[in-house]
Amino acid sequence: MTRQTIIHFDLAAELPASAIRASEKSCFIILWWRDCPVGQVQDVGFPGRTLDRVRLAATVAPDVLEHAKQLVNDEARLGQPPAVDATVVICTRDRPEVLARCLASLPQQTLNPMQIIVVDNASVDGRTREAAVSAGVEYVREDRRGLDFARNAGASAARGEIIAYTDDDVYLHSRWLERLVRAFDAPEVMVVTGLV
């Protein structure tokens, strides 16, 4: 399997288009408006071509871009993250290295979770527990294999008003939890999701 180059491109940046080049035959471009993700582009046949801001911006739905601009402005106006108790649950099995990387991204959050739970879904050895203990988070063992069992075990141990689930193989954006919690700003909102 060939590894693909991932390029993060900020549509709000003042860089000239010629300042960013892709030298790979194929790349995956994640589009941002400041620190808010707005889209993605799978581009093939890139060698020697300059990444064109206008062409990339045209791939983003206008309402998505407008929402991102509004979100960034609102966050600047609102200042502090909301005061909500949130629990982060990470379900995992036999992947202590990627789990450790995910756990390392949690202290960078602009909204600190009140509780972080690692649900070990029937790992074959003690390395998952060691990764959780060394990160200083709560460890829950669930021997019944399956994500539904693991998520339910995490929900049972959670004390937060909001439970946020994330995969073990991600490095979380610093505003992930804050933005997820802000999405519950209306009483009719019961569940939210985001870009994967």
Side-chain angles (χ1 to χ4, degrees):
M1 182 165 143
T2 307
R3 294 198 93 185
Q4 190 173 43
T5 300
I6 297 174
I7 297 172
H8 294 270
F9 192 96
D10 184 357
L11 295 169
E14 297 301 322
L15 295 172
S18 60
I20 303 174
R21 287 189 161 274
S23 60
E24 305 295 325
K25 289 183 180 177
S26 173
C27 62
F28 184 72
I29 305 166
I30 301 171
L31 302 172
W32 298 80
W33 180 265
R34 303 213 188 283
D35 71 345
C36 189
V38 293
Q40 60 194 32
V41 176
Q42 176 72 48
D43 214 308
V44 180
F46 242 95
R49 279 198 356 229
T50 301
L51 294 178
D52 182 342
R53 176 184 322 284
V54 173
R55 184 175 68 86
L56 291 172
T59 68
V60 179
D63 61 323
V64 170
L65 192 54
E66 191 54 43
H67 177 73
K69 291 176 181 179
Q70 188 63 49
L71 178 66
V72 170
N73 289 339
D74 288 349
E75 287 172 347
R77 183 177 47 79
L78 294 170
Q80 294 295 320
V84 175
D85 289 334
T87 295
V88 172
V89 176
I90 306 166
C91 302
T92 187
R93 180 174 60 217
D94 293 324
R95 300 189 336 159
E97 293 82 12
V98 293
L99 172 64
R101 183 174 182 266
C102 178
L103 289 169
S105 67
L106 282 164
Q108 326 301 302
Q109 293 296 301
T110 54
L111 174 64
N112 292 319
M114 68 159 303
Q115 180 186 28
I116 302 168
I117 300 170
V118 167
V119 179
D120 182 349
N121 194 207
S123 291
V124 297
D125 58 32
R127 294 179 305 141
T128 298
R129 181 183 180 92
E130 290 168 15
V133 169
S134 22
V137 303
E138 292 181 38
Y139 172 85
V140 172
R141 173 84 180 185
E142 175 52 67
D143 287 321
R144 294 171 296 174
R145 286 189 177 188
L147 192 52
D148 289 341
F149 291 123
R151 285 184 176 154
N152 286 335
S156 293
R159 296 187 307 273
E161 181 182 344
I162 293 174
I163 302 171
Y165 292 94
T166 190
D167 290 338
D168 61 0
D169 62 348
V170 298
Y171 190 84
L172 296 166
H173 184 279
S174 62
R175 298 189 95 154
W176 169 74
L177 188 57
E178 175 186 350
R179 286 182 173 151
L180 186 139
V181 166
R182 279 196 199 278
F184 287 92
D185 62 353
E188 62 272 14
V189 176
M190 301 199 58
V191 175
V192 299
T193 187
L195 287 178
V196 175

